Amino acid sequence: MTSAATADYIVVGGGLTGCLIASRLSQSPKTPVVILLEAGSDPSGNTAATGFLTGLSLLGSEFDYRYQSEPVANTANRVHHFNLGKALGGGSLLNYGGWLRADSADYDEWAEIVGDKRWSWEGFKPWFRKTEHFYALDADADEHGFDGPMYVTSVSAAESGERKYPLREPVRQGWSELGVLPNLEKRHVLTNTAVNKVTFTDGVANGVVLHDGRKIAARKEVIICAGAYGTPQILMRSGVGPSSILNEHGISIVHEAPSVGSNLHDHFAIYLAFRVRDPSLGYAMGNEAWQNPALFKGLPWDWVVSGPLPAELAKKHNIEADQQGRNLYEVITLYVPPGIPGIPIDGTHIATSTMLLLPTSRGKVSIRSSNVADPPRIEPNYFDTPLDRDTLIHATRQTLQLLLATGSMGPIIESESPPSGEGLDGLEPLTADSSDGAIEERIRRTGMQHHHSGGTAAMGKVVDVEGRVMGVKRLRCADASILPIPLGGHPQATLYPMAEQLASMIIGDM
Ligand SMILES: Cc1cc2nc3c(=O)[nH]c(=O)nc-3n(C[C@H](O)[C@H](O)[C@H](O)COP(=O)(O)OP(=O)(O)OC[C@H]3O[C@@H](n4cnc5c(N)ncnc54)[C@H](O)[C@@H]3O)c2cc1C
């Protein structure tokens, strides 16, 4: 490639959304020239990149940015560590494969905020269907697609029903004791190529400058898909961002966009480990009795439970009556402790993930300099609002009650096992009767993000309803950074269909 390379569309970031958009544009009838620029390398020769869940062994490797946050006052001044995919495939290389849409009310709120029904639940539906190749007994053809590129199955339908975890029924029964019932219901790819910034002439984006100074011109558009941390950095280095930050780093202002980098949201969560009374019964992965090959064919989990706040807490936080049914937290039972410090994977422990679905705390991302090689400054500000604190404490208590105090699970579980290791001295086991203060303290000392970051170039604030960066021309963002609000699912089940819809909008403008 020479410094005079030109494409119709430049897609910056070959992660989950960028790969999809680049491929849809290049398959479109006008066959535009599309260049996809990815800072990381092509991992396809690496066997850990191809198997299901084998990507977990790549955490901390060359395929992971391993960013660190600033110390967070609300979480005992801890520095949080961020796994973020740096490779063709982005986060999809490292992620756990969980496929969980948000509630319809969450999408409807998004549509209302930005004033466009295409981002509502009904607006999303065609794109959900286009994304999925869904397999489950009794799948609803209005809700699910059956010939899309993403192969998705429910745990109970997987492996012809063979992926049946031994604790499935006691956990379901435990939730039912707590009153929770199931729902019835032509292209170029350049890897190792980091984009420094977008170039403009009179506010019209016309190309990018790479980390080594080479330039690529775009005849039509530049589309940034560099993720919740990468996209705001590129915008700021390009002169689109808060003037205070641009001035501090000597960057010429192309467009003052104060919201770039703010509104950072993630699903703050706490993982808990629980020791089983009799490991020989094979309830947890790592035990000799855990033999059925079907159990290894996916993340070993069951019963994703989402819940609203109880009435008294909803009242305390002045949640309006029509919003009181919104699901604010999620609890998942995992039959393997997922990297909880000091907890062995030897069949002695199961675990839970208890997560805020609609956190109200917001953090921010900014640059440390105008140098593309410098990592960003991340201030996550987790657990900052009283609503987030009360919700996660309540959800953690629900989790403790399920595992330790229901007739179904109590006889199976011996106790909660606190994590151990550096900075974790003095943690006592939590019980179903632990005080709110003890639960809050544990959350502050061990809570973590769920790798679900978004919001840093939010629709309605930074980009319009078709992903176009407001205030400049021919520049879009089309990744997790544009999510205006947290959604109560896990992101990829939304990001693929979102990218499909955005790709169709770009193709419509060709
Ligand atoms: C460990 C882990 C587990 C997860 N588990 C799940 C799960 O089970 N279910 C779920 O739904 N979600 C999960 N996620 C989240 C999901 O993977 C992300 O939400 C998703 O990948 C975000 O997509 P994106 O396109 O916005 O960004 P990414 O997929 O992160 O892609 C951004 C890409 O841009 C590239 N880039 C950044 N800066 C530049 C630059 N300057 N120049 C060129 N390229 C650049 C990056 O290298 C990266 O490849 C998980 C994530 C992680 C890290």
Side-chain angles (χ1 to χ4, degrees):
M1 184 182 44
T2 70
S3 60
T6 301
D8 294 312
Y9 294 94
I10 298 174
V11 178
V12 180
L16 192 152
T17 52
C19 286
L20 188 152
I21 288 183
S23 112
R24 290 295 183 216
L25 294 187
S26 54
Q27 289 160 0
S28 66
K30 292 195 177 162
T31 58
V33 177
V34 180
I35 293 186
L36 176 63
L37 302 170
E38 166 53 43
S41 56
D42 179 352
S44 49
N46 187 318
T47 48
T50 48
F52 185 64
L53 288 184
T54 50
L56 295 181
S57 67
L58 300 176
L59 292 174
S61 73
E62 63 182 297
F63 300 120
D64 184 350
Y65 282 98
R66 289 170 286 155
Y67 285 154
Q68 294 189 353
S69 75
E70 300 298 301
V72 177
N74 297 318
T75 63
N77 272 327
R78 281 182 296 131
V79 167
H80 292 257
H81 300 269
F82 296 82
N83 301 116
L84 284 169
K86 183 182 184 182
L88 210 52
S92 69
L93 184 73
L94 305 180
N95 84 26
Y96 309 140
W99 190 263
L100 294 149
R101 292 181 196 166
D103 288 350
S104 57
D106 302 348
Y107 298 100
D108 291 348
E109 185 184 350
W110 173 351
E112 196 176 324
I113 286 174
V114 303
D116 190 320
K117 286 198 162 16
R118 288 176 293 181
W119 299 108
S120 69
W121 173 256
E122 286 301 321
F124 253 100
K125 264 192 187 170
W127 309 104
F128 285 145
R129 289 194 293 259
K130 181 163 185 177
T131 305
E132 281 179 352
H133 194 119
F134 194 72
Y135 175 69
L137 307 172
D138 307 327
D140 179 342
D142 182 47
E143 297 288 338
H144 293 289
F146 303 100
D147 52 11
M150 297 304 294
Y151 283 67
V152 182
T153 179
S154 68
V155 179
S156 53
E159 305 300 310
S160 307
E162 281 296 303
R163 202 171 129 209
K164 192 160 190 307
Y165 295 102
L167 282 181
R168 173 169 299 161
E169 197 42 33
V171 174
R172 187 199 64 73
Q173 185 59 33
W175 277 118
S176 109
E177 286 177 44
L178 294 176
V180 177
L181 300 172
N183 287 342
L184 292 174
E185 340 172 36
K186 203 186 315 175
R187 184 171 42 149
H188 304 265
V189 177
L190 302 180
T191 52
N192 299 306
T193 306
V195 167
N196 180 0
K197 59 184 177 181
V198 179
T199 53
F200 295 89
T201 302
D202 297 332
V204 180
N206 54 16
V208 296
V209 180
L210 306 182
H211 63 285
D212 54 8
R214 286 176 297 163
K215 292 181 178 169
I216 303 181
R219 282 185 287 258
K220 289 182 181 287
E221 285 192 26
V222 176
I223 302 151
I224 308 180
C225 297
Y229 299 97
T231 291
Q233 292 181 72
I234 294 174
L235 287 172
M236 289 180 195
R237 289 196 299 264
S238 309
V240 178
S243 55
S244 55
I245 295 176
L246 306 186
N247 289 336
E248 182 188 343
H249 299 297
I251 298 168
S252 307
I253 298 177
V254 173
H255 175 64
E256 157 94 50
S259 298
V260 170
S262 62
N263 188 45
L264 172 66
H265 49 74
D266 202 330
H267 288 143
F268 189 61
I270 177 167
Y271 287 99
L272 297 173
F274 294 88
R275 177 180 287 281
V276 297
R277 290 182 197 274
D278 184 354
S280 72
L281 294 175
Y283 291 139
M285 185 186 260
N287 188 282
E288 279 178 7
W290 186 276
Q291 291 288 358
N292 180 349
L295 303 185
F296 293 91
K297 290 289 177 69
L299 194 64
W301 69 1
D302 269 326
W303 304 117
V304 178
V305 166
S306 318
L309 276 190
E312 69 277 10
L313 277 180
K315 200 167 158 211
K316 173 180 167 190
H317 290 284
N318 298 320
I319 298 179
E320 297 193 2
D322 66 341
Q323 297 294 308
Q324 290 187 6
R326 296 280 295 272
N327 287 325
L328 298 192
Y329 65 87
E330 174 199 90
V331 183
I332 301 179
T333 317
L334 299 149
Y335 305 125
V336 60
I340 302 178
I343 306 295
I345 299 182
D346 61 359
T348 57
H349 285 81
I350 65 167
T352 49
S353 154
T354 304
M355 175 177 111
L356 289 175
L357 285 175
L358 304 180
T360 50
S361 305
R362 295 288 184 274
K364 55 187 179 185
V365 184
S366 63
I367 47 176
R368 291 177 191 277
S369 77
S370 58
N371 184 344
V372 59
D374 276 348
R377 180 185 298 278
I378 304 173
E379 296 167 89
N381 199 30
Y382 302 128
F383 209 47
D384 188 46
T385 64
L387 176 57
D388 285 1
R389 293 200 280 271
D390 279 354
T391 305
L392 199 51
I393 291 168
H394 167 74
T396 305
R397 184 173 301 291
Q398 283 277 96
T399 309
L400 292 164
Q401 282 177 344
L402 168 77
L403 274 295
L404 301 171
T406 56
S408 306
M409 293 302 295
I412 292 171
I413 302 299
E414 187 173 287
S415 59
E416 191 264 336
S417 295
S420 59
E422 200 184 330
L424 296 169
D425 294 344
L427 295 181
E428 296 291 330
L430 293 172
T431 69
D433 299 321
S434 288
S435 66
D436 282 359
I439 294 176
E440 178 171 347
E441 176 67 10
R442 176 68 76 81
I443 294 169
R444 287 187 187 280
R445 290 189 59 190
T446 66
M448 58 189 289
Q449 40 86 28
H450 226 279
H451 311 297
H452 293 175
S453 318
T456 49
M459 188 181 286
K461 298 265 193 226
V462 176
V463 303
D464 73 7
V465 293
E466 301 207 351
R468 292 176 287 235
V469 177
M470 296 187 282
V472 295
K473 293 201 167 81
R474 297 200 188 174
L475 179 64
R476 290 193 214 230
C477 302
D479 55 16
S481 69
I482 73 171
L483 296 174
I485 48 174
L487 301 170
H490 292 219
Q492 63 180 355
T494 296
L495 293 177
Y496 283 112
M498 180 193 84
E500 286 282 10
Q501 176 153 220
L502 288 163
S504 84
M505 291 167 171
I506 301 166
I507 292 166
D509 284 351
M510 271 179 190

